[in-house]
Amino acid sequence: MFRKRPEGSAATVWVTVEGREVQVPAGASAAAALLLAGLAATRETAVSGAARGPYCLMGVCFECLAEIDGVPNCQSCMVTIGPGMAIRRQHGKRIATPQ
Amino acid sequence: MTPQRIDLAVVGAGPAGLAAATTAADLGLDTLLLDEQDGPGGQIYRGIERAPDGRNKTTPLGVDYLAGKPLAAALRASRAGYLPGTTVWHIDADGTLSVLDKNGSRTIRARRIVLATGAMERPVPIPGWTLPGVMTVGAAQILLKTGDLVPAGRSVLTGQGPLIWLAAAQLVRAGAPPALILETAPHRNYHAAARLLLRALWPARRQLAKGLGLIREVRGAGVPVVREAVGLAALGRGRLERVAWNGGEIAADLLLLHEGVIPNIQISLALGLEHRWDAAQLCWRPVADEWGATSLPTVAIAGDGAGIAGAEAAALTGRLAALDAAALLDKLDPAERDRRARPIRKALKRELAIRPLLDALYRPAPPVLVPPDDVVACRCEEVTVAQIRRAARLGAPGPNQAKAFTRCGMGPCQGRLCGPTVSAVMADALGKPIAEIGTYRPRAPYKPITLRALAGLGASPSAGS
Amino acid sequence: MQRIDAIVIGGGLVGSAIAYGLARAGLKTALIDEGDVAFRASRGNFGLVWVQSKGLGAPHYQRWTRRSAEEWPKLAAELVAGTGIDPALEQPGGVHLCLSDQELDERRARMEQMRAEAGNFGFDYRMLGPSELKDMLPRLGPAVVGASWTPYDGHANSLYLLHALHNGFVQRGGVYIPNRTIDYAAAQPNDFRLGSGADEVAAPKIVLAAGLGNAKLAPLFGLRAPVRPQRGQILVTERAGRVFDMPTTTVRQTVEGGIMIGDSMEDVGFDTSQRPDVMAAMAERAVLSFPWLAELQVVRAWAALRVMPPDGTPIYDESEQFPGAFTANCHSGVTLAGAHANVFAAMVAAGALAPEMVPFSARRFDVPQAA
Ligand SMILES: Cc1cc2nc3c(=O)[nH]c(=O)nc-3n(C[C@H](O)[C@H](O)[C@H](O)COP(=O)(O)OP(=O)(O)OC[C@H]3O[C@@H](n4cnc5c(N)ncnc54)[C@H](O)[C@@H]3O)c2cc1C
Ligand SMILES: Cc1cc2nc3c(=O)[nH]c(=O)nc-3n(C[C@H](O)[C@H](O)[C@H](O)COP(=O)(O)OP(=O)(O)OC[C@H]3O[C@@H](n4cnc5c(N)ncnc54)[C@H](O)[C@@H]3O)c2cc1C
Ligand code: FES
């Protein structure tokens, strides 16, 4: 869906998206990493299971919910990536883990 | 736990908040600037501290973007405290802010608060707008500002307003021109605007020239433009595949929507501030006086959160709110406040001269506010326009009862995105003006907070049942 | 002027349930309500259909609550069939968790007294220890020392209930009239008139079910409803897969998956603002009860006002001065919806409250209270 501008800044960070390594410009959000990894649908809703992707990227719509470093339902557009961050799609309702 | 005590809390580090915090600190107020983003700049100047420095560096974002540099630098040079990555999740009328950062939740007690929480893009509920691959124009801009990312494949921009031309020009410069622009401004807007053009021509000459320049730049780059596009729809299975309008259809990987920006009133509504319906900008705005003072004695509001006026005006209103805070907290003589405000007001008047023209020219067409029945109005709870109409038919007198009946506005976005649509649809269904119908009454937490963070706030468990 | 059979003032759960029952009984009924923003406890409650602690020292209230819990499934089934809106009733029994030995002792004493007062009617309850609770609830924290349990308790989605009642009411010919705050009425025995001119409505029966509004309305009809506001705050988390099969008094999972955490009791007048310190205390108790809840995000919260009679027991009354005027006031409109729709409405339709309702009369406040 999105690509890096070749002239863009050189600093990058490695993260994993759905377990796959992706090189993302420093300062970008986890939502940007999902998009850069080529995912359009980044979650399924908790209501009907419909596929959704980020919409506003400014923290308003909560369409970018994703699992970040094991924490479900993170607003990924408001999380700046860090080295080694593990980003995954959010599948419907989160799991609460009473064990 | 005793709260940190300060003179002034400024919420939001866009141009309004940056200017307010810097000015207030310079006047001797113990000031804290809070923002949930990890750097200063707000929406327009997002990622500004990472932007290239020096005279000969250029960015596809343009010179207006770089105008954010000195604002951010002034903040850093000032004595104002700046807390990035800090979300305000509750504000009490007495001036206590509950804030959340990576260490958890805590409270800050301010003698005065300036809300500078800015604007959001107006929701554009067209059929298919929930498909992955449909985003806002501002979202694409944010990707460019924070990560140097540009659309890959075919992108279509649709909507209207100055920002769509700015974004299109930025994408052209960034080497990713859109495949098509579908401009939605209805023809009759031009007639309405023509009347105002003469009046704005001289005072707003610079802005007008800039705007026309952007349009020329985009057209000059060979980007096709369809004007007066109506009946827009995003089509595809599981993701966007095509964009259709009355009279055409195009394959697309990305659809970017934009119908202007509206004040982000989540906090001002939750605080119970008085609001009014702005019939020119078709949005709710908090009622504020010439200093930004609101109906609540502790709270002022500055920037686009008080009504859309743009980045330069935002910085100016931020300064005014700071001057007033200094006067109210006895750091500045009222006469001196007025004297310092004079040149600011003059500049503000210049900035505002173009607004009536822009408001008329880019007034959204009726279906933007009241979409067709099968369109999803509330994306979080997946509630359609038809369901909201049904609630109205059953007697729900307004958006809050409709919310109780249909769950619209109860999802994680707390009605930020469906609020405008639900109010307009209720008004339409009940045959009443939106001003009479009202809007949601949102509540804290303004942003989600874990029970762990909430529990750590440190109150004795005396209440509870 | 429009002549109808009955007027109900107040479109919250109490008024809607009664209006629904009246319309179902064939009475041409108008339900009069305020606008979009009003004190409306029915839009801010915790959704329990709760029996185990209701009616301590007031056996008639205990029986009334049990009766309502029994009527609930019938009402729910009827509403689903008639309106397609499912109020999501579940009655698997419920527990009240105790986080200290003192809480546990107090609870035990309370439950014993409830049984004693139930007399021949019976009151089935058990005090459970942590090991028994383990099989009923998802992992509990070490702070939980025990709990009380009864089979009568349950929960529902009270907003769907409100929606369904409004829907069913309109379907059965009821007229819902919002955006009216009644502050005057012409009252005569069996003749009540509201509004004026073409808007005037007249009926031989009127039911005051205006929640906190009843305090002011009742005297116009020769009635008394000395209810006061009591604030309650509630937290709701993000949706999660189902983990709770049974509600507790302070934590329950909704059909949608969100976990609700309730609900404070604050006497602060007509103030619906939220207090972060109270929210924190509620969160703390929830996390002590279920430590794993700590990771869940609260996505919504609110404060609302309960409709509280002076002694906590509902007030049901009929006017001696103006026969035909009735009032209903309670702080458990979800729980009592079954009784209101199926029992109380039938009494109003028949023209008089049954003798069993006498102890609920506001006349009880005339007698000096024993300590
Ligand atoms: C997506 C988008 C892109 C835009 N791009 C442009 C552009 O390129 N050019 C242009 O001229 N105009 C643009 N605008 C218009 C913009 O509204 C103004 O130009 C300008 O940004 C307004 O400044 P402000 O200071 O009022 O608010 P903003 O710049 O919007 O700043 C508000 C700040 O408040 C913070 N905030 C909000 N809520 C909370 C909270 N609860 N806790 C902590 N912090 C919070 C936000 O993180 C944000 O940083 C854009 C608007 C949007 C919505
Ligand atoms: C935090 C909280 C938690 C709760 N939890 C539970 C629970 O778990 N289980 C349970 O059973 N109950 C619970 N309740 C109580 C429940 O919500 C009941 O519905 C409540 O007791 C009162 O219902 P009501 O219809 O009498 O009042 P309301 O819902 O307040 O409705 C009164 C209606 O009358 C209208 N009105 C008022 N004055 C006038 C006037 N002058 N003219 C016209 N209309 C008027 C109002 O607009 C309103 O619509 C809880 C309440 C709260 C606040
Ligand atoms: S994309 Fe809208 S909140 Fe993240």
Side-chain angles (χ1 to χ4, degrees):
Chain A
M1 294 247 305
F2 285 84
R3 60 178 169 86
K4 266 177 295 193
R5 206 165 62 91
E7 310 84 339
S9 84
T12 55
V13 173
W14 283 97
V15 302
T16 63
V17 173
E18 293 286 299
R20 201 157 49 81
E21 301 236 313
V22 182
Q23 199 179 9
V24 185
S29 65
L34 284 159
L35 293 167
L36 192 59
L39 297 181
T42 55
R43 70 167 184 131
E44 288 115 41
T45 66
V47 177
S48 71
R52 294 279 173 87
Y55 174 76
C56 75
L57 288 184
M58 60 167 287
V60 168
C61 71
F62 288 75
E63 289 289 13
C64 60
L65 297 178
E67 189 186 298
I68 299 180
D69 289 337
V71 180
N73 279 343
C74 293
Q75 202 177 17
S76 65
C77 74
M78 300 303 283
V79 177
T80 305
I81 46 149
M85 184 179 272
I87 309 162
R88 293 188 166 276
R89 302 169 37 166
Q90 176 70 37
H91 299 288
K93 284 177 198 172
R94 71 167 286 167
I95 296 167
T97 41
Q99 276 126 32
Chain B
M1 208 162 40
T2 47
Q4 181 180 1
R5 285 178 181 275
I6 54 168
D7 290 328
L8 182 70
V10 179
V11 186
L18 288 168
T22 307
T23 307
D26 290 350
L27 289 167
L29 293 184
D30 184 9
T31 304
L32 263 187
L33 174 61
L34 313 145
D35 196 300
E36 62 176 329
Q37 292 187 44
D38 66 356
Q43 298 313 339
I44 174 165
Y45 306 134
R46 227 173 211 264
I48 190 69
E49 288 186 331
R50 273 188 297 264
D53 254 323
R55 264 173 221 90
N56 38 20
K57 283 277 183 103
T58 58
T59 153
L61 296 164
V63 286
D64 282 355
Y65 175 67
L66 294 176
K69 283 238 144 179
L71 276 176
L75 171 81
R76 296 289 188 185
S78 81
R79 292 217 308 274
Y82 168 52
L83 301 178
T86 304
T87 302
V88 176
W89 67 265
H90 178 264
I91 298 177
D92 195 87
D94 72 0
T96 306
L97 300 98
S98 301
V99 306
L100 180 68
D101 61 21
K102 60 179 189 308
N103 299 316
S105 176
R106 64 198 174 93
T107 53
I108 296 168
R109 182 76 182 264
R111 296 169 71 197
R112 192 160 180 79
I113 295 170
V114 173
L115 288 180
T117 47
M120 55 179 259
E121 290 175 275
R122 183 190 294 282
V124 190
I126 58 168
W129 73 312
T130 54
L131 284 174
V134 181
M135 299 169 75
T136 70
V137 162
Q141 256 192 324
I142 287 167
L143 289 171
L144 187 55
K145 286 173 186 171
T146 57
D148 257 311
L149 302 190
V150 290
R154 292 161 71 87
S155 61
V156 175
L157 266 65
T158 172
Q160 57 175 349
L163 218 57
I164 204 173
W165 292 108
L166 173 63
Q170 289 168 338
L171 290 178
V172 166
R173 290 173 209 151
L180 177 68
I181 295 179
L182 295 162
E183 207 199 8
T184 55
H187 192 67
R188 61 170 179 280
N189 283 9
Y190 292 94
H191 296 294
R195 215 166 24 87
L196 297 160
L197 179 61
L198 273 179
R199 219 180 305 157
L201 209 46
W202 181 249
R205 60 194 179 283
R206 262 188 330 135
Q207 291 138 301
L208 284 171
K210 218 184 275 172
L212 291 173
L214 289 173
I215 297 176
R216 218 175 306 120
E217 185 181 348
V218 173
R219 287 182 172 276
V223 178
V225 178
V226 173
R227 296 185 58 180
E228 276 193 80
V230 293
L232 287 157
L235 308 171
R237 296 186 115 238
R239 64 151 300 158
L240 175 79
E241 288 161 2
R242 284 161 296 129
V243 178
W245 66 97
N246 286 358
E249 195 171 304
I250 184 175
D253 301 296
L254 181 67
L255 173 61
L256 301 173
L257 307 171
H258 184 79
E259 289 281 348
V261 296
I262 57 177
N264 186 348
I265 51 177
Q266 195 74 5
I267 298 182
S268 56
L269 282 176
L271 269 170
L273 302 184
E274 200 183 315
H275 284 66
R276 72 175 175 83
W277 175 252
D278 183 331
Q281 297 193 338
L282 297 177
C283 60
W284 291 95
R285 63 196 290 176
V287 175
D289 73 5
E290 51 172 5
W291 303 100
T294 69
S295 56
L296 203 63
T298 39
V299 176
I301 189 153
D304 272 359
I308 303 306
E312 316 238 338
L316 296 168
T317 56
R319 296 216 155 83
L320 291 174
L323 288 175
D324 194 40
L328 288 167
L329 301 179
D330 295 324
K331 298 277 185 188
L332 190 67
D333 181 65
E336 179 60 13
R337 173 197 66 177
D338 295 349
R339 196 187 64 74
R340 293 197 193 193
R342 237 166 274 141
I344 303 177
R345 289 201 193 288
K346 222 169 127 187
L348 187 59
K349 200 172 162 202
R350 236 180 0 251
E351 280 305 316
L352 295 178
I354 197 171
R355 278 295 135 188
L357 174 68
L358 292 180
D359 294 344
L361 191 58
Y362 296 125
R363 191 180 173 82
V368 175
L369 278 83
V370 183
D373 270 7
D374 55 345
V375 173
V376 168
C378 167
R379 298 174 63 115
C380 296
E381 293 293 322
E382 306 186 35
V383 181
T384 63
V385 170
Q387 284 170 280
I388 291 159
R389 282 191 187 282
R390 224 174 291 142
R393 226 177 294 133
L394 193 63
N400 293 289
Q401 192 87 345
K403 174 177 168 180
F405 282 178
T406 68
R407 290 191 66 82
C408 67
M410 283 196 198
C413 101
Q414 299 179 323
R416 284 171 170 85
L417 212 58
C418 66
T421 310
V422 172
S423 286
V425 169
M426 291 297 290
D428 186 66
L430 297 170
K432 289 183 177 177
I434 296 180
E436 205 179 299
I437 287 296
T439 184
Y440 287 143
R441 204 185 144 200
R443 293 293 212 147
Y446 309 145
K447 279 289 180 84
I449 174 173
T450 60
L451 281 162
R452 174 188 303 289
L454 188 53
L457 200 64
S460 60
S462 57
S465 43
Chain C
M1 186 185 64
Q2 210 191 338
R3 272 194 183 284
I4 53 175
D5 300 324
I7 297 168
V8 178
I9 305 181
L13 280 172
V14 174
S16 304
I18 295 168
Y20 171 78
L22 290 174
R24 191 187 47 194
L27 275 70
K28 180 86 188 152
T29 306
L31 177 58
I32 298 176
D33 203 2
E34 292 179 290
D36 195 42
V37 176
F39 294 117
R40 196 166 285 145
S42 305
R43 246 168 29 191
N45 61 59
F46 194 59
L48 291 177
V49 178
W50 207 248
V51 174
Q52 65 168 270
S53 44
K54 300 284 172 59
L56 190 73
H60 53 288
Y61 179 25
Q62 187 188 140
R63 278 197 298 280
W64 182 243
T65 304
R66 284 273 290 283
R67 176 119 187 237
S68 192
E70 282 162 24
E71 292 295 332
W72 241 104
K74 288 181 250 170
L75 177 64
E78 189 182 281
L79 289 171
V80 181
T83 67
I85 302 165
D86 185 352
L89 174 71
E90 287 182 27
Q91 292 174 301
V95 300
H96 173 84
L97 299 176
C98 300
L99 302 193
S100 69
D101 290 334
Q102 192 197 337
E103 279 183 25
L104 191 63
D105 290 344
E106 280 170 17
R107 192 67 182 181
R108 186 177 291 117
R110 189 183 178 112
M111 300 306 272
E112 272 167 22
Q113 189 185 336
M114 289 286 286
R115 178 177 292 169
E117 289 171 356
N120 292 340
F121 196 63
F123 181 74
D124 188 9
Y125 80 95
R126 271 167 46 209
M127 298 305 292
L128 305 173
S131 59
E132 293 158 291
L133 285 168
K134 216 174 61 198
D135 302 328
M136 303 167 87
L137 291 167
R139 190 167 59 90
L140 289 150
V144 177
V145 296
S148 61
W149 168 89
T150 80
Y152 314 118
D153 304 304
H155 56 160
N157 183 320
S158 57
L159 295 177
Y160 292 165
L161 171 65
L162 186 67
H163 191 192
L165 287 170
H166 275 229
N167 230 307
F169 171 68
V170 171
Q171 256 175 32
R172 289 166 192 266
V175 184
Y176 177 67
I177 307 174
N179 300 314
R180 294 266 185 94
T181 302
I182 303 300
D183 51 12
Y184 172 79
Q188 303 272 338
N190 297 309
D191 180 10
F192 304 94
R193 292 159 194 242
L194 301 179
S196 58
D199 274 351
E200 190 175 354
V201 213
K205 292 191 170 77
I206 192 162
V207 182
L208 311 182
L212 293 166
N214 272 354
K216 274 197 194 147
L217 281 173
L220 302 176
F221 300 86
L223 287 162
R224 265 190 310 152
V227 288
R228 66 164 206 285
Q230 184 192 58
R231 185 168 69 195
Q233 300 186 56
I234 287 176
L235 316 171
V236 188
T237 72
E238 60 197 308
R239 294 184 193 225
R242 181 147 172 160
V243 279
F244 280 94
D245 290 326
M246 187 177 280
T248 80
T249 31
T250 50
V251 179
R252 74 177 191 95
Q253 189 168 24
T254 69
V255 268
E256 288 80 23
I259 290 164
M260 283 181 105
I261 294 159
D263 49 347
S264 60
M265 297 180 185
E266 307 160 72
D267 285 301
V268 290
F270 287 87
D271 175 358
T272 56
S273 57
Q274 296 169 280
R275 309 298 322 170
D277 55 344
V278 177
M279 295 165 76
M282 287 160 47
E284 201 179 320
R285 192 172 171 101
V287 171
L288 281 173
S289 306
F290 303 98
W292 48 273
L293 279 181
E295 308 316 324
L296 266 68
Q297 304 182 65
V298 174
V299 294
R300 280 190 312 133
W302 63 84
L305 301 180
R306 290 190 193 81
V307 182
M308 200 44 89
D311 55 2
T313 299
I315 302 169
Y316 300 106
D317 227 333
E318 54 196 324
S319 177
E320 282 175 6
Q321 194 182 354
F322 303 111
F326 301 84
T327 185
N329 310 267
C330 71
H331 67 75
S332 292
V334 187
T335 307
L336 295 177
H340 291 153
N342 292 358
V343 185
F344 185 83
M347 295 178 194
V348 173
L353 297 186
E356 69 196 76
M357 304 305 278
V358 169
F360 289 109
S361 165
R363 279 186 297 269
R364 69 180 184 266
F365 303 120
D366 300 338
V367 219
Q369 293 278 305

